[in-house]
Amino acid sequence: MFRRREPVPFAFLAEADRFRSNVTPPPRERASFGQLAGRWLLGLTIVAALGGSLIIGVPALSLDHSAPQSPQSQASDNR
């Protein structure tokens, strides 16, 4: 499960901050048109879903001032 790390000499740690590699990584592969279009479509879908949820949710959160302040049951009207 857990790997034991081997002890490292202190001299190696002291030189670690100025170590530079002479190996350059390969250049990144450019995304194709389909991948870019898919990313844009996914982003627009997420933004539209958030906007739609706001449009639907805001009226449910607003207070209805036309309703009576204290709810009364019908049983209390017929004493």
Side-chain angles (χ1 to χ4, degrees):
M1 282 179 29
F2 297 105
R3 286 184 8 191
R4 284 184 11 194
R5 301 180 97 190
E6 302 245 340
V8 180
F10 180 77
F12 179 80
L13 290 176
E15 294 175 2
D17 58 349
R18 57 190 160 166
F19 177 75
R20 299 281 184 220
S21 174
N22 60 355
V23 178
T24 58
R28 292 183 62 179
E29 189 175 319
R30 296 189 71 181
S32 68
F33 178 74
Q35 289 174 335
L36 289 175
R39 290 177 192 166
W40 273 97
L41 187 61
L42 179 65
L44 287 174
T45 303
I46 291 172
V47 168
L50 290 173
S53 66
L54 278 175
I55 290 172
I56 292 172
V58 167
L61 294 174
S62 66
L63 296 175
D64 188 14
H65 295 291
S66 64
Q69 294 295 334
S70 60
Q72 297 177 354
S73 68
Q74 293 178 351
S76 65
D77 293 338
N78 299 332
R79 291 185 197 190

